[in-house]
Amino acid sequence: MENWSLVSICVLFGLTARWAVSLNSYSGAGKPPMFGDYEAQRHWQEVTYNLPVHEWYFNTTDNNLNYWGLDYPPLTAYHSLLCAHLINPDWVELHASRGHESYGHKLFMRATVLVADLLIYIPAVVLYSFYLSEGSNKKKVFLCILLYPGLILIDYGHFQYNSISLGLALWGVVVLGLGWDVLGSLAFVLSLNYKQMELYHSLPFFCYLLGKCFKQGLAGRGLFLLVKIAVTVLVTFALCWLPFLSDPGQILQVVHRLFPVGRGLFEDKVANTWCSLNVLIKIKTILSTDTQLYFSLTTTLLAILPSSIKLLMKPTLWQFKLALVNSSLAFFLFSFQVHEKSILLPALPVCLLLNDLPLPAIWFLQASTFSMLPLFLKDGLLVPYVVTSLAFLFFSIYLLSAFEHCSEDKLRLGPYRRLLICIVRRYGYLSNCINKDHFYFSITAMAGLSFMSVALAPPDQLPDLFPLLVSVFSYLHFLGLLLYFNIVQIAEPLQSVRKNQKKSN
C-alpha cells in the first residue's frame, strides 16, 4: 500500500510538471500562414473529420498536401478522427478553421496529450519500473523517467503525441520482458503504425524475437512461436491498413507520404552526422538525392549490424535494451531525413538504463534535451527548458547516486579500457574524466551555449552560428555514447551484469 501511495505521488508530480509546461506557448503560435506542429495536428483532425478515408493522403481541392498534409501512418489518422469527434465542430470546420487559435482549443489539445500519457505511456513506465527494473531504486527510476524533459517539452510545449508511439513501444518492451512475445509483437506493430519513425526500434524487436525462436529450436517450439508472431504482425498490419487495402494506389500513396525522399538528407540543424559533416563538406550540394539515400542507408546498416548480430545470438532483456539504444541512435546519426525531435526515439530505451548505467544515461538524456534548444527557443519555451532540465539533473543525480556509480566496473568500462590502452597510456586519468569531470564540463558547456543562444546576437555573416554549435556539440556526445553503448553490449556478458547488480544492492 505504501508503494502505491508513493507511485501516486510520483505520477502527480510528473503530471504537474507536464501541465505547467502546457501553460506556455506552442509551435507556430500566432505565426501565419503555416503556423507549426500544433496547427498540423489540428488540421489532421479537420481533414479526417470532413473528408472520406480515400482522400486523406491525396492532394485534392479540399486537401492541400502542401499545407500540413497527413504524413503519418493510419493509426495517427484514426486518432485525429477520434479527437475531432470530441471537439467543437467549429474548430475543425473544413477550410474555415485553418489556423484556428483560442484558449478553449488549446486547453482541449493539451488535455488530449495528457489523456494519452495517462492511458498509454505512464502505465507502461510503471510496469517497467516495478517489474523489470532490478534493485531497490524502482520508485526513483520511475520518477526520473517521468521527469525526462525532452519528451515533456516536445509533447506539452512544442506539441506532438510522441508519448503514444513511444508508450506503445515501451508496452512492447514490457510484455516481451514478461515473456508474452505475441502481445509484445502486437504492441510494437501498433507503435509502428502510429509513427513510422518507430522503424528506429524495429530491428532489435525483430532480432530479439527471432533469436528466441532460434533458441527454442526452429524444428519445434521455436517454429510455432515464429508462426504465431508472424500471424500477429500480418493481421495487425492488415487491420490498421484495412480502409486502404482495396486499392493498391491508396497503399502506394500512403507509403509515399510516409517516406518523403524529396525532402533531402536532413532539415534544419539536427545533431547528426550529415548536418555536422555538412559544415566542412556540402554533402547536399555534391551528392545527388539518390546517392545521399543509398549512402545513408549503407552507413546506418553498418552501424546497427554489430549490435543486431549480438542480440540475435543472445536474446536477453539486457541485450535487448542495449540494442534498442544502439539501433535507434545509429538511425538518428546516420539515416535519411532526420528531424531534431527524433532524438526522443533513442532517449526512450536510454531511460530504461537509468538504473543500470545512471551517469551515461543521465548524460545522454540531458544532451538530447539540449540538442533541441533552437526549437525550444523558437517556440518560446526557454523558461520551461531551463526549469525542467535543472529539475531532471537534480533528481536523477541525487536519487540514483550517479556519481557513486563511476567506477570502471559499474560503468562496464573494462572492454573500453582495453580498447583505449593502446592510444592513451594514463588511462586512469582518462577514465575519471570520462565519468565525472567530463560530465561537469559538458553540462557547463551546455549552460554556456544556452546562455549565448539567448543573450548574444550572431554575426551577420553567420546567422545560424549558435544553432550549429548546439548541433555539433550534441552530435559529439551522441557519437561518443553510441560507441560506449555498443562496447557495453558487445563485450560484456549478461551474467556479469546481474552479478554486479546483486553486489551493489
Side-chain angles (χ1 to χ4, degrees):
M1 189 70 180
E2 181 183 352
N3 280 343
W4 289 109
S5 297
L6 290 172
V7 169
S8 301
I9 293 172
C10 290
V11 170
L12 184 60
F13 192 34
L15 293 178
T16 302
R18 283 160 165 73
W19 197 252
V21 171
S22 75
L23 298 176
N24 291 271
S25 183
Y26 51 81
S27 171
K31 297 178 181 178
M34 292 300 291
F35 300 93
D37 275 350
Y38 178 92
E39 167 62 10
Q41 300 289 342
R42 189 216 58 81
H43 181 64
W44 294 348
Q45 295 171 11
E46 173 192 343
V47 168
T48 55
Y49 183 77
N50 292 285
L51 301 180
V53 174
H54 66 269
E55 292 186 19
W56 287 356
Y57 291 91
F58 280 86
N59 197 52
T60 66
T61 53
D62 289 325
N63 186 21
N64 180 9
L65 293 182
N66 291 322
Y67 183 81
W68 299 116
L70 189 57
D71 55 4
Y72 279 175
L75 279 189
T76 290
Y78 305 150
H79 177 233
S80 297
L81 180 61
L82 174 63
C83 291
H85 278 286
L86 302 173
I87 209 171
N88 184 333
D90 294 339
W91 297 345
V92 288
E93 185 179 351
L94 191 62
H95 303 311
S97 63
R98 179 173 292 192
H100 177 86
E101 293 179 293
S102 67
Y103 176 77
H105 184 258
K106 177 185 175 183
L107 186 65
F108 172 81
M109 296 291 275
R110 297 298 200 195
T112 59
V113 180
L114 192 68
V115 170
D117 250 1
L118 284 169
L119 294 179
I120 300 174
Y121 183 73
I122 292 178
V125 176
V126 171
L127 288 176
Y128 173 79
S129 301
F130 287 89
Y131 290 95
L132 294 181
S133 182
E134 298 183 7
S136 58
N137 288 335
K138 295 180 179 182
K139 294 183 286 294
K140 299 174 183 178
V141 168
F142 173 59
L143 178 61
C144 292
I145 295 177
L146 285 187
L147 291 181
Y148 167 54
L151 181 58
I152 295 175
L153 290 167
I154 290 298
D155 277 15
Y156 289 86
H158 179 81
F159 194 85
Q160 282 190 335
Y161 293 99
N162 291 287
S163 61
I164 296 180
S165 57
L166 294 177
L168 289 170
L170 183 52
W171 270 105
V173 174
V174 169
V175 294
L176 286 180
L178 294 174
W180 302 333
D181 299 322
V182 173
L183 286 177
S185 306
L186 172 64
F188 180 69
V189 172
L190 291 176
S191 74
L192 184 57
N193 277 283
Y194 191 86
K195 281 198 175 183
Q196 66 270 34
M197 285 78 79
E198 280 298 327
L199 283 170
Y200 285 32
H201 296 143
S202 60
L203 201 54
F205 272 89
F206 174 79
C207 290
Y208 177 75
L209 290 168
L210 185 60
K212 287 192 72 173
C213 294
F214 285 152
K215 195 173 181 180
Q216 294 182 18
L218 287 181
R221 288 192 305 160
L223 179 60
F224 182 59
L225 177 60
L226 183 61
V227 171
K228 286 197 299 182
I229 292 171
V231 170
T232 301
V233 169
L234 291 174
V235 170
T236 307
F237 261 104
L239 290 175
C240 290
W241 287 68
L242 191 59
F244 309 96
L245 295 181
S246 60
D247 182 5
Q250 286 277 334
I251 299 174
L252 291 175
Q253 176 64 12
V254 176
V255 172
H256 173 71
R257 292 295 301 165
L258 299 187
F259 303 101
V261 176
R263 291 184 183 177
L265 190 58
F266 61 87
E267 292 184 21
D268 296 326
K269 299 297 182 288
V270 60
N272 77 345
T273 300
W274 311 125
C275 182
S276 301
L277 190 59
N278 199 64
V279 177
L280 303 174
I281 305 172
K282 302 303 177 184
I283 303 173
K284 296 179 75 172
T285 304
I286 297 173
L287 302 178
S288 65
T289 301
D290 287 343
T291 304
Q292 294 173 32
L293 179 61
Y294 295 137
F295 192 54
S296 64
L297 177 62
T298 302
T299 52
T300 303
L301 290 176
L302 289 174
I304 63 179
L305 194 59
S307 170
S308 301
I309 292 174
K310 182 62 184 286
L311 178 60
L312 190 63
M313 295 169 60
K314 196 168 189 177
T316 62
L317 182 60
W318 171 248
Q319 287 286 326
F320 183 38
K321 291 192 294 185
L322 287 168
L324 285 169
V325 174
N326 290 325
S327 173
S328 53
L329 188 50
F331 263 97
F332 179 81
L333 292 178
F334 300 109
S335 65
F336 194 87
Q337 190 37 229
V338 174
H339 294 268
E340 65 270 59
K341 299 181 289 293
S342 298
I343 194 60
L344 297 177
L345 290 150
L348 173 70
V350 170
C351 284
L352 308 186
L353 299 178
L354 277 168
N355 193 40
D356 305 288
L357 303 166
L359 186 59
I362 293 168
W363 201 342
F364 177 90
L365 293 172
Q366 186 54 46
S368 68
T369 304
F370 170 73
S371 71
M372 297 182 282
L373 174 64
L375 182 65
F376 298 145
L377 295 181
K378 184 179 178 181
D379 293 340
L381 298 172
L382 173 62
V383 173
Y385 160 75
V386 172
V387 173
T388 56
S389 295
L390 290 175
F392 174 74
L393 282 172
F394 172 77
F395 282 109
S396 58
I397 291 173
Y398 173 72
L399 293 176
L400 301 178
S401 304
F403 294 141
E404 296 177 12
H405 294 76
C406 293
S407 68
E408 184 179 297
D409 180 54
K410 290 184 178 180
L411 285 171
R412 327 288 189 234
L413 281 175
Y416 196 29
R417 182 181 187 279
R418 290 193 294 272
L419 178 67
L420 295 178
I421 196 70
C422 300
I423 304 173
V424 183
R425 292 182 179 179
R426 297 185 63 187
Y427 181 71
Y429 173 74
L430 179 62
S431 173
N432 189 49
C433 285
I434 287 176
N435 298 338
K436 191 172 181 180
D437 295 344
H438 275 189
F439 178 80
Y440 280 128
F441 171 78
S442 170
I443 297 300
T444 303
M446 290 180 200
L449 283 173
S450 299
F451 175 79
M452 288 189 289
S453 298
V454 174
L456 302 180
D460 293 337
Q461 63 273 27
L462 296 172
D464 295 325
L465 174 63
F466 295 125
L468 191 60
L469 288 175
V470 169
S471 152
V472 173
F473 187 69
S474 302
Y475 165 70
L476 294 175
H477 285 73
F478 300 151
L479 189 63
L481 286 165
L482 176 66
L483 174 64
Y484 168 73
F485 286 125
N486 266 280
I487 291 170
V488 170
Q489 182 190 354
I490 294 168
E492 189 168 18
L494 180 66
Q495 290 179 347
S496 64
V497 173
R498 285 180 173 169
K499 191 179 294 182
N500 289 336
Q501 285 177 340
K502 288 177 181 179
K503 286 181 180 180
S504 63
N505 293 333

